[in-house]
Amino acid sequence: MEYVAVILPSLGVGALFYFAMKAIFNADKSERDALAQAEHEADASGEANT
C-alpha cells in the first residue's frame, strides 16, 4: 500500500498535465480551423466583388 501512496501524486500530476495539454492543443486546433474558415470566406467574398 505504501507504493501506491508514493506513486499516486505523480500519476495525479501526470493526468492533470495530460488534460491541460489536450485542452491547449484542442483550443489551438479550433483557432486554426476558425482562422482558415475566415480566410476562405474573405477570399470568396473578394472574388465575388471582382
Side-chain angles (χ1 to χ4, degrees):
M1 187 67 179
E2 59 197 35
Y3 296 113
V4 174
V6 171
I7 197 77
L8 193 59
S10 296
L11 290 176
V13 170
L16 287 174
F17 179 76
Y18 170 77
F19 288 116
M21 293 304 291
K22 184 176 176 184
I24 289 170
F25 285 127
N26 284 339
D28 181 58
K29 181 180 181 291
S30 297
E31 184 177 354
R32 284 185 281 120
D33 289 343
L35 182 60
Q37 180 67 27
E39 288 177 353
H40 177 71
E41 289 174 359
D43 289 342
S45 67
E47 291 174 358
N49 291 336
T50 55

